[in-house]
Amino acid sequence: MLELDFRKRLKQFDLQAELELGMEIMAVVGPSGSGKTTLLNCIAGITQPDSGVIRLNEKTFYKTGERPLRIQDRRVGYLFQDYALFPHMTAGRNIRFGAGKEADAAHIAELTELLGIGGLLDSYPHQISGGEKQRVALARALAAKPDLLLLDEPFSALDDDTRSRCQQELLRIHNLWQVPVIFVTHSRQEAAKLAHRIVQVDRGRLNLINIEASL
Amino acid sequence: MPADLSPLVLSLKVASISTLAVFVAGVALARLMNRRDFFGKSAAEALILLPLVLPPTVVGFGLIVLFGRNGPLGAWLEDWFGIQVVFTWYGAVIASFIVSLPLMYQSAAAAFDKVDPRWENVARTMGVSEWRIFRTITFPLAWPGILAGIVLAFARGIGEFGATLMIAGYIPGETETIPLAIYFSYEAGEMEQAAFWVITVSALGLAAITWLNHWRKRQAASAGRE
């Protein structure tokens, strides 16, 4: 269970987040600059809120007046917009990077097979297509068996066919591993297709919206 | 060609040791400044870069004040380690270090600035320690800029004259680096010997810059394929 109840001052407005998330997929929609990426960054620990609480399964990530939990100790998988694959490492090393020496080989083999990237492991990021990068980045985010998955516009750079395939893969992974997922998207249709819940962010305010109504 | 090649040997020794020290200090300082904000940061940065704009004689004077027998660092080094800096090749190493540190620092700082912080952040979300992130992500990706800094610092170290003369003096076979050999050969009217060292030091500098440019082009070409 992810609990958010925090406030973060941005240039134009305050980001105010108050919600709870179980083992669901939640889509975050809203115009550019409304605070969507900041929301993910606060959960991951890349930026800190100004006040409030962020908690995942009894583990406190952030609480006013307390030292925030290090990013490394949060066990959050984060897929950045345009993926941020390490350019000097092969896809395989990118995926295994966080797992270290005691890499769970079986888990990683399962992931690469599930995402159909077994043949790409020796390729460098600049040698593979956008869709392939996306799947490598997803495998990397899942390799350390995170307790929460954050995806920032994961499908925006993909062509229609690849997008559709990757969306199916996300649903499959969610069904298999049952981790809470928050993904940011510009597409209401995508949100409605994948998410159990949709949150609209508007000038820092989070509003739960009805899936049917959103279409 | 002069019978005595000790200026070449000494210059290479001084520049190598000072470059090694400059590499460690420059990378550490650049990393610190790149990541942390603290009171007096701009002043600290200005102090590191100051030797770039000062006449070498000012640097030399400062070093004599600090490292002279009665200077705070000089007295300490002599009392504790029995090391005398003034009129020894150690002095030449320190002079080289001070004048080449700004070049290494600037190159390394620019190189670290270019490393996308998202790569470090994504590594953090994977549970990787800060030291391993630096070793395997930040440093390798900043390496081209750092290498340029190393080459520049080495070339600057080889060419250092004014501050070296002031702190290490001119003792043939002891503190006579190539730039000192050029000046004092010329003073003594030994034009052939001066010309030999001029050509030697120019060739060293040219080789370093040519190699660096070649390496950069190769890097750019491989980046272009990405």
Side-chain angles (χ1 to χ4, degrees):
Chain A
M1 169 82 79
L2 174 72
E3 299 166 60
L4 305 178
D5 183 2
F6 70 85
R7 183 181 280 260
K8 163 89 179 161
R9 174 154 281 287
L10 302 177
K11 265 187 195 142
Q12 311 270 334
F13 47 81
D14 282 6
L15 173 66
Q16 290 178 52
E18 201 179 324
L19 61 90
E20 287 185 356
L21 182 70
M23 295 298 161
E24 306 151 276
I25 299 183
M26 183 177 87
V28 180
V29 296
S32 300
S34 56
K36 302 188 298 291
T37 298
T38 310
L39 175 71
L40 298 192
N41 283 347
C42 284
I43 298 170
I46 292 164
T47 44
Q48 303 301 341
D50 293 313
S51 62
V53 182
I54 301 175
R55 205 175 279 131
L56 177 68
N57 306 335
E58 311 302 315
K59 194 152 71 170
T60 304
F61 286 5
Y62 175 87
K63 194 172 178 197
T64 319
E66 288 179 13
R67 200 186 159 85
L69 193 66
R70 288 192 324 151
I71 302 176
Q72 280 93 334
D73 300 327
R74 296 190 181 203
R75 299 188 50 81
V76 167
Y78 196 156
L79 193 149
F80 284 64
Q81 213 175 341
D82 65 44
Y83 320 129
L85 292 175
F86 308 128
H88 59 309
M89 293 183 193
T90 59
R93 274 195 69 202
N94 262 281
I95 296 167
R96 284 191 304 271
F97 184 68
K101 287 197 182 80
E102 65 281 12
D104 185 343
H107 172 63
I108 288 175
E110 187 187 351
L111 263 177
T112 51
E113 195 196 341
L114 186 72
L115 290 166
I117 49 175
L120 305 173
L121 298 181
D122 292 327
S123 308
Y124 283 88
H126 68 270
Q127 295 169 323
I128 60 181
S129 72
E132 291 167 339
K133 275 184 200 161
Q134 192 270 352
R135 280 179 284 159
V136 170
L138 189 58
R140 182 174 70 170
L142 289 163
K145 296 187 181 167
D147 297 333
L148 168 70
L149 192 57
L150 305 175
L151 312 171
D152 194 356
E153 299 199 25
F155 312 118
S156 61
L158 308 179
D159 60 72
D160 289 347
D161 286 350
T162 318
R163 181 182 306 130
S164 176
R165 230 181 21 247
C166 287
Q167 288 170 341
Q168 291 309 319
E169 276 158 8
L170 177 66
L171 287 175
R172 210 147 47 109
I173 283 166
H174 179 259
N175 284 336
L176 268 177
W177 278 318
Q178 291 297 310
V179 280
V181 176
I182 301 181
F183 78 100
V184 166
T185 178
H186 271 299
S187 156
R188 290 267 177 134
Q189 272 178 331
E190 183 171 278
K193 183 175 169 189
L194 298 176
H196 305 105
R197 261 206 280 176
I198 303 178
V199 162
Q200 159 97 30
V201 188
D202 196 12
R203 291 183 65 78
R205 300 244 171 208
L206 269 61
N207 304 303
L208 207 60
I209 57 174
N210 186 297
I211 292 185
E212 280 78 35
S214 82
L215 291 168
Chain B
M1 183 170 154
D4 180 15
L5 286 178
S6 69
L8 175 65
V9 176
L10 183 66
S11 281
L12 290 175
K13 181 165 88 171
V14 166
S16 303
I17 296 171
S18 101
T19 303
L20 192 67
V22 154
F23 162 71
V24 174
V27 166
L29 285 168
R31 182 65 179 156
L32 180 79
M33 299 286 191
N34 172 262
R35 286 179 50 123
R36 300 219 192 284
D37 278 317
F38 53 87
F39 179 74
K41 181 175 165 179
S42 314
E45 198 163 25
L47 200 67
I48 297 169
L49 296 177
L50 195 59
L52 274 184
V53 295
L54 287 178
T57 43
V58 173
V59 175
F61 186 86
L63 290 178
I64 287 172
V65 170
L66 279 177
F67 288 97
R69 282 208 143 148
N70 300 319
L73 289 174
W76 179 76
L77 280 174
E78 185 146 13
D79 288 350
W80 285 87
F81 303 101
I83 293 174
Q84 199 192 324
V85 170
V86 176
F87 298 126
T88 64
W89 68 272
Y90 298 123
V93 171
I94 292 172
S96 280
F97 175 86
I98 296 293
V99 296
S100 44
L101 181 64
L103 297 172
M104 182 72 233
Y105 172 79
Q106 277 188 319
S107 301
F112 286 138
D113 270 350
K114 271 200 213 155
V115 177
D116 188 337
R118 291 182 319 155
W119 288 322
E120 294 170 356
N121 280 330
V122 89
R124 285 185 189 108
T125 65
M126 297 167 91
V128 176
S129 73
E130 292 296 325
W131 170 238
R132 194 167 154 233
I133 291 172
F134 179 75
R135 233 171 7 92
T136 54
I137 308 270
T138 319
F139 188 83
L141 291 171
W143 175 242
I146 290 172
L147 182 66
I150 292 173
V151 173
L152 287 175
F154 186 78
R156 183 70 187 83
I158 291 269
E160 167 45 34
F161 174 71
T164 307
L165 181 58
M166 285 187 73
I167 191 167
Y170 172 67
I171 306 169
E174 188 87 20
T175 66
E176 187 192 22
T177 57
I178 296 177
L180 268 66
I182 293 169
Y183 180 74
F184 287 99
S185 302
Y186 166 76
E187 278 278 275
E190 295 162 356
M191 293 304 275
E192 254 180 51
Q193 184 146 321
F196 171 80
W197 289 122
V198 165
I199 291 166
T200 307
V201 82
S202 305
L204 277 176
L206 206 62
I209 290 171
T210 310
W211 177 80
L212 185 64
N213 279 343
H214 173 73
W215 188 82
R216 270 184 181 156
K217 269 185 201 143
R218 251 185 30 205
Q219 286 285 309
S222 70
R225 286 198 295 274
E226 288 177 13

